[in-house]
Amino acid sequence: MVINLSPQVEKALAMLNDAGFEAYLVGGAVRDLCLVGCSHVKDWDIATAAGTDEIKTVFAGFRIIETGIKHGTVTVIVDGEPLEITTFRHGDSLRQDLIHRDFTMNTLAYHREQGVIDLYGGAEDFKKRKLRCVGSSLERFCEDPLRILRGLRFASVLDMDIDEEAAAAMRRNKDLLQNVAVERIRNELTQMLCGPSIGRILREFSDVLAVPLPEIQSMIGFEQYHPYHCYDIWGHTVVVVEKVPAEPVLAWAALFHDMGKPFCFSRDPQGVGHFYGHAAKSAEIADRIMERLKFDHVSRKEISFLVEHHDRSIAPNEKSVKRALRQYGVERLSRLIRLGRADTLGHTRECWHYLEEFDQLEQMIQFAIAVGKPFSREDLAVNGKDLIQLGYEGPAIGEALNLLVDAVICDDLKNEKDALITYLRKRKSMKQT
């Protein structure tokens, strides 16, 4: 089988071969090109018999970055393309190098003359949608515990079943995840949460995921005792994660949105369960988790907002939508609606009629955007300089701009400079009299 490589990879392989060193394209690039059918590969990894000093000699005329020199890896920039080139690990042959990789589908290699090399049955395993470790699962996960989450991520993103031996080894070694850098854990979980098979992974491997996310334990099996809830808290959460669009911010918000429920539970005299204040409590828990996993500030702020406001009700009428747009902006409001839609799908069918309201809200937002309504001060036909000329100064400038946005959105004032200035002058005149 011949696969299409980038000119830079072809060039690097040829240079190593011409210098007398075996060299193969390995890892995810070969998997994606051969099995997944990707037309574009981001990361190119080459394994070679050359040592690091010899790699540097072969590519003496190129920019070289010693990204992992202690592990035998250097990054070579070939015609603008970064290529990771690594000396064979665990021996001096391709076979010895591949046997210590994580899963069989990642052991495929490619040689310019030999074509695709499949020493461990990775292509057949992928065809059967079976995620299987190379050799001993216990050994592979002990070598690098992050492989446990990588396996769950692959199963979620590529819709694969995890081999029984591998699944058992994941559970047996799950506590090793406590020793993995939180940034690596966060990255794997983020990709996993956006996979099409995430629901199955959350249901089947909640015990494993509870190691990096112990907060989910209190949700598992917690009955809600409410006629509109057909799942326990964890079961409901899984459905919501399944139903939100595959966007990291929304996926994390869905996972977090009901984490505070076990701490806010009460039952009324009729035995019906209630969770007063759970949104704020969930946001508090979510923020602690994101701090622990070192989320970036922007994502952390947005996810916390969505969790805290996920149960906010917005009436599908023009005035409510305009006010919500003024308060949240288009992107945030759209995310709240998508999260609310997914949350509704996690309830009994008796609640699904609310989906029509979400449809109406989205249509009204699109209409408001189409007619060019301003939703922030930056969208107005006037700015702070214009207001200074009218005699406004200090905090009064911001207050006047906010007043104009509200008037344009809710009172149908035209967003034209003359109309806005006339409106302010009239208000100013009324105050003076």
Side-chain angles (χ1 to χ4, degrees):
M1 178 181 180
V2 177
I3 59 178
N4 295 320
L5 305 181
S6 73
Q8 296 92 329
V9 174
E10 290 276 16
K11 185 175 184 176
L13 291 172
M15 290 178 67
L16 287 164
N17 289 161
D18 293 345
F21 301 108
E22 287 183 71
Y24 305 86
L25 181 67
V26 295
V30 187
R31 176 199 68 224
D32 291 347
L33 289 169
C34 295
L35 305 179
V36 181
C38 293
S39 58
H40 178 70
V41 173
K42 295 181 180 179
D43 301 316
W44 299 99
D45 297 308
I46 294 173
T48 179
T52 52
D53 290 339
E54 293 166 322
I55 295 171
K56 291 179 182 179
T57 300
V58 171
F59 295 96
F62 297 82
R63 183 186 173 198
I64 295 175
I65 306 171
E66 297 185 355
T67 46
I69 196 71
K70 66 179 181 179
H71 300 297
T73 300
V74 296
T75 297
V76 180
I77 311 299
V78 178
D79 300 335
E81 182 82 68
L83 311 176
E84 282 201 358
I85 305 178
T86 305
T87 301
F88 287 148
R89 298 172 182 174
H90 309 287
D92 57 0
S93 70
L94 177 67
R95 180 177 291 274
Q96 287 300 310
D97 180 274
L98 296 179
I99 200 172
H100 286 277
R101 292 181 180 266
D102 49 12
F103 305 103
T104 57
M105 68 174 186
N106 292 332
T107 62
L108 272 68
Y110 182 80
H111 189 272
R112 295 170 63 239
E113 297 176 357
Q114 301 172 44
V116 177
I117 301 167
D118 184 4
L119 300 179
Y120 298 100
E124 183 65 20
D125 282 343
F126 189 86
K127 182 179 179 181
K128 295 178 180 178
R129 316 307 291 178
K130 180 69 69 177
L131 190 71
R132 185 167 61 88
C133 289
V134 185
S136 167
S137 298
L138 285 173
E139 289 181 13
R140 297 294 82 80
F141 294 140
C142 285
E143 288 170 350
D144 183 0
L146 185 68
R147 288 172 170 173
I148 297 171
L149 292 184
R150 276 172 58 82
L152 298 183
R153 186 249 295 180
F154 284 134
S156 173
V157 173
L158 299 176
D159 188 25
M160 302 183 74
D161 292 321
I162 299 174
D163 174 73
E164 289 184 11
E165 180 192 350
M170 286 177 173
R171 294 189 168 94
R172 182 172 174 180
N173 288 280
K174 64 181 186 295
D175 289 336
L176 295 177
L177 288 169
Q178 295 174 348
N179 304 319
V180 177
V182 293
E183 295 89 347
R184 299 177 76 198
I185 287 175
R186 182 196 66 233
N187 291 339
E188 292 295 337
L189 290 175
T190 299
Q191 295 177 71
M192 181 195 76
L193 286 169
C194 294
S197 295
I198 181 56
R200 175 166 53 85
I201 301 306
L202 291 176
R203 292 183 183 95
E204 295 179 9
F205 293 92
S206 59
D207 56 336
V208 175
L209 296 170
V211 175
L213 296 171
E215 291 83 359
I216 71 175
Q217 289 177 318
S218 62
M219 304 163 70
I220 298 171
F222 199 113
E223 295 297 334
Q224 305 201 60
Y225 298 99
H226 197 283
Y228 293 152
H229 275 290
C230 50
Y231 304 101
D232 65 14
I233 298 175
W234 178 242
H236 166 78
T237 297
V238 172
V239 173
V240 179
V241 175
E242 285 182 302
K243 298 300 182 181
V244 292
E247 177 188 340
V249 166
L250 277 172
W252 278 107
L255 185 70
F256 292 147
H257 82 285
D258 276 355
M259 274 192 174
K261 274 191 170 182
F263 306 96
C264 303
F265 178 65
S266 64
R267 295 176 75 175
D268 62 25
Q270 289 72 43
V272 177
H274 299 281
F275 302 92
Y276 300 117
H278 80 275
K281 184 64 177 179
S282 297
E284 176 189 323
I285 297 171
D287 196 60
R288 288 203 304 266
I289 294 172
M290 289 188 287
E291 180 179 20
R292 185 176 75 230
L293 296 181
K294 297 184 179 179
F295 275 65
D296 66 271
H297 175 72
V298 173
S299 297
R300 183 174 167 183
K301 182 178 179 181
E302 185 68 12
I303 293 167
S304 291
F305 171 86
L306 291 172
V307 173
E308 186 169 1
H309 295 83
H310 76 268
D311 58 352
R312 159 110 191 246
S313 178
I314 302 169
N317 60 63
E318 187 177 4
K319 185 162 286 190
S320 292
V321 170
K322 287 179 178 179
R323 285 175 176 166
L325 284 167
R326 165 73 181 89
Q327 186 175 1
Y328 302 132
V330 174
E331 187 175 21
R332 267 192 171 177
L333 182 56
S334 297
R335 281 176 170 160
L336 276 175
I337 291 171
R338 292 172 192 143
L339 182 57
R341 182 190 298 278
D343 195 7
T344 299
L345 289 168
H347 289 69
T348 60
R349 286 182 176 271
E350 286 79 4
C351 297
W352 288 12
H353 63 90
Y354 289 112
L355 297 175
E356 295 179 6
E357 293 190 5
F358 290 119
D359 291 337
Q360 294 173 30
L361 287 170
E362 289 185 329
Q363 291 170 8
M364 296 180 77
I365 290 172
Q366 293 306 313
F367 177 77
I369 294 171
V371 299
K373 284 286 186 182
F375 304 121
S376 67
R377 295 187 294 189
E378 290 73 22
D379 298 326
L380 290 171
V382 296
N383 55 35
K385 291 182 180 179
D386 298 316
L387 268 62
I388 290 174
Q389 293 178 2
L390 294 176
Y392 289 88
E393 57 185 24
I397 296 174
E399 293 172 4
L401 290 172
N402 288 336
L403 179 70
L404 289 175
V405 174
D406 288 335
V408 173
I409 290 177
C410 300
D411 299 330
D412 291 325
L413 174 66
K414 288 185 178 181
N415 186 27
E416 297 173 357
K417 187 172 182 178
D418 290 343
L420 299 177
I421 291 176
T422 299
Y423 178 82
L424 288 178
R425 281 175 173 163
K426 285 183 177 178
R427 288 188 62 88
K428 204 171 186 181
S429 176
M430 290 172 62
K431 283 186 177 181
Q432 292 173 350
T433 58

